[in-house]
Amino acid sequence: MSLVSKAIVSSLSNEMGIMVLELDDCTKWSMVDRPFNNVQGETAYVYREGRSFYVQFGKRTEKYVVDEM
């Protein structure tokens, strides 16, 4: 897995049925699953493995599948 982006979460919103994660490095990612806790202001680590992208928040172990918008 390689690190693609490390940035602060600007917002997490629901747009037309999908979760949209906006980071302070001007990237947007769509998510299917919403994190249990509030992640706004946390550091997001976006990883790439093959053709798939994953995001991990702070020092948490959970990873969420994302797609670049």
Side-chain angles (χ1 to χ4, degrees):
M1 243 191 254
S2 62
L3 183 65
V4 174
S5 176
K6 176 184 173 189
I8 304 296
V9 177
S10 296
S11 70
L12 180 63
S13 59
N14 191 349
E15 294 180 15
M16 298 187 329
I18 57 172
M19 297 306 302
V20 177
L21 175 68
E22 292 184 52
L23 304 179
D24 71 347
D25 64 355
C26 299
T27 58
K28 284 186 174 183
W29 302 86
S30 64
M31 301 178 69
V32 175
D33 298 322
R34 182 180 185 96
F36 294 112
N37 299 327
N38 183 10
V39 294
Q40 190 160 347
E42 287 196 38
T43 303
Y45 299 90
V46 181
Y47 297 98
R48 180 182 188 141
E49 184 176 357
R51 292 188 198 176
S52 301
F53 291 95
Y54 302 93
V55 66
Q56 188 173 2
F57 300 103
K59 297 185 187 283
R60 299 180 191 162
T61 57
E62 301 95 5
K63 292 183 181 141
Y64 300 91
V65 176
V66 292
D67 288 318
E68 193 168 18
M69 294 179 76

